Amino acid sequence: MTTERAAAEPLAKTLRDAITRLGRRVRQARPVGDLTFSQLSALTSLQLAGALTPRELADVERVQPPTMTKIVGKLEDRGLVARTPHPTDGRQVILAATEQGKAVYAQYEQARNEWLAQALDRLSPEERETLASAADILQRVARG
Amino acid sequence: MTTERAAAEPLAKTLRDAITRLGRRVRQARPVGDLTFSQLSALTSLQLAGALTPRELADVERVQPPTMTKIVGKLEDRGLVARTPHPTDGRQVILAATEQGKAVYAQYEQARNEWLAQALDRLSPEERETLASAADILQRVARG
DNA sequence: CCATGCTCATTAGCTAGGCTAAGTATCGTG
DNA sequence: CACGATACTTAGCCTAGCTAATGAGCATGG
């Protein structure tokens, strides 16, 4: 265990640095529209999950419920998210992306990939292969 | 070109997703202290560069100068950053981390690595090898 | 069957971080 | 030396995040 930990520490530092930098670059590639990162992230989670309550969405996004209330409010104002009452529990609300919300999501999704895809273009096939393997591992790490 | 681009697109999506999720997890691993992410990031950049002017620091952090004025102000209030006049240019200011700032930086640095290092511990040596190669590639991509 | 306590969502009020526009001081050059 | 450019700050605005408090609905025990 100790030996493995010794191997993991410098890797953690390098990896975190790379992730931080890349994350900034990708986040800065904001398209013409005016959705903020938080709004887009919430919309994405809703889109992927299909439908969620505010509490569930707050948990997924790792923010407190009042924060999610604000963000969802903005998305509602733009007509990107709609709320329907919960069928059995009068306290809860069901949030889902509207058709327009799905369209906007798709636009942003492509714009966000643009910069990164271009950068990856310039790598060798072998390097891309390495990154593909690494991406799988990283996703498992992020979930676990 | 077209064929390479076809290869890069899905990889960009997967990679971005992994980076986004991991970035959140790492960022949430905030220690007991009360420095915000932006403050810590600025302190880190100063620490790594040795000393910078506000403009340079703003460029590195990819924010506008007025934003950096605020952040540096907070760090100054805590005694983590000190400013000295520029030797030849009266308009400019030199920012640098104080001894206390360096100590605080080191604490946070370790705390931030903690979660990731533990997660990496659970991987196989081969997987860590893949991640190490990937980290190098990603750093080049982020710079370039 | 209803009183009491829990959960969900929101509101209120605060701080931090981001922006643009405008102001001030200094530099550098014609 | 006057005038444009540059460096930094100030002012004012918005979003995002938090905690505390409020209100509405559910669920359960007497």
Side-chain angles (χ1 to χ4, degrees):
Chain A
M1 191 65 163
T2 315
T3 60
E4 292 199 2
R5 183 51 176 282
E9 285 244 359
L11 174 56
K13 195 176 171 93
T14 307
L15 201 53
R16 188 169 58 67
D17 186 62
I19 289 169
T20 303
R21 289 172 188 277
L22 252 189
R24 278 189 199 170
R25 294 293 294 259
V26 171
R27 217 167 304 133
Q28 277 152 8
R30 284 253 295 273
V32 286
D34 44 5
L35 279 193
T36 66
F37 183 71
S38 295
Q39 290 168 11
L40 184 53
S41 182
L43 181 59
T44 300
S45 291
L46 268 186
Q47 168 81 357
L48 296 183
L52 293 171
T53 68
R55 160 65 81 180
E56 289 169 337
L57 184 53
D59 286 346
V60 169
E61 294 290 304
R62 304 226 180 207
V63 298
Q64 295 302 310
T67 301
M68 193 45 70
T69 296
K70 284 190 192 177
I71 295 173
V72 168
K74 301 267 166 54
L75 292 174
E76 269 189 283
D77 292 345
R78 295 167 187 272
L80 306 180
V81 163
R83 64 176 62 212
T84 56
H86 191 286
T88 64
D89 189 336
R91 296 167 300 181
Q92 296 188 48
V93 179
I94 307 292
L95 302 173
T98 62
E99 285 307 314
Q100 193 188 344
K102 292 175 187 175
V104 167
Y105 162 75
Q107 277 180 1
Y108 274 80
E109 185 69 8
Q110 190 189 339
R112 283 199 291 180
N113 273 346
E114 196 78 1
W115 176 84
L116 187 54
Q118 282 178 2
L120 296 179
D121 254 5
R122 300 188 208 101
L123 299 178
S124 71
E126 292 75 22
E127 286 172 328
R128 281 200 293 273
E129 185 57 40
T130 298
L131 289 186
S133 305
D136 286 342
I137 299 171
L138 289 179
Q139 279 192 328
R140 285 211 322 276
V141 168
R143 283 188 225 289
Chain B
M1 193 62 166
T2 315
T3 60
E4 292 198 3
R5 184 51 176 280
E9 285 246 0
L11 174 57
K13 193 176 174 98
T14 307
L15 201 54
R16 189 170 57 68
D17 186 63
I19 290 169
T20 303
R21 288 172 189 278
L22 253 188
R24 278 189 198 169
R25 294 293 292 259
V26 170
R27 218 167 303 134
Q28 277 152 8
R30 284 252 294 272
V32 286
D34 44 5
L35 279 193
T36 66
F37 182 70
S38 294
Q39 290 169 11
L40 184 53
S41 182
L43 181 58
T44 300
S45 292
L46 269 186
Q47 168 81 357
L48 297 182
L52 293 171
T53 68
R55 160 64 80 181
E56 289 168 337
L57 184 52
D59 286 346
V60 169
E61 294 290 303
R62 304 227 179 208
V63 299
Q64 295 302 308
T67 301
M68 194 45 70
T69 296
K70 284 190 191 178
I71 295 172
V72 168
K74 301 266 164 54
L75 292 173
E76 270 189 282
D77 291 346
R78 294 167 187 272
L80 306 180
V81 163
R83 64 175 63 210
T84 57
H86 191 285
T88 63
D89 190 336
R91 297 167 300 180
Q92 295 188 49
V93 178
I94 308 291
L95 302 172
T98 62
E99 285 308 313
Q100 192 188 344
K102 291 175 186 173
V104 166
Y105 163 76
Q107 278 179 1
Y108 275 81
E109 186 68 8
Q110 191 189 337
R112 283 199 291 181
N113 273 346
E114 196 80 2
W115 175 85
L116 188 54
Q118 282 179 2
L120 296 178
D121 254 5
R122 300 187 208 102
L123 299 177
S124 71
E126 292 75 21
E127 286 171 328
R128 281 199 293 272
E129 185 57 38
T130 298
L131 289 186
S133 305
D136 286 342
I137 299 171
L138 290 179
Q139 279 191 329
R140 283 212 322 275
V141 168
R143 281 187 228 287

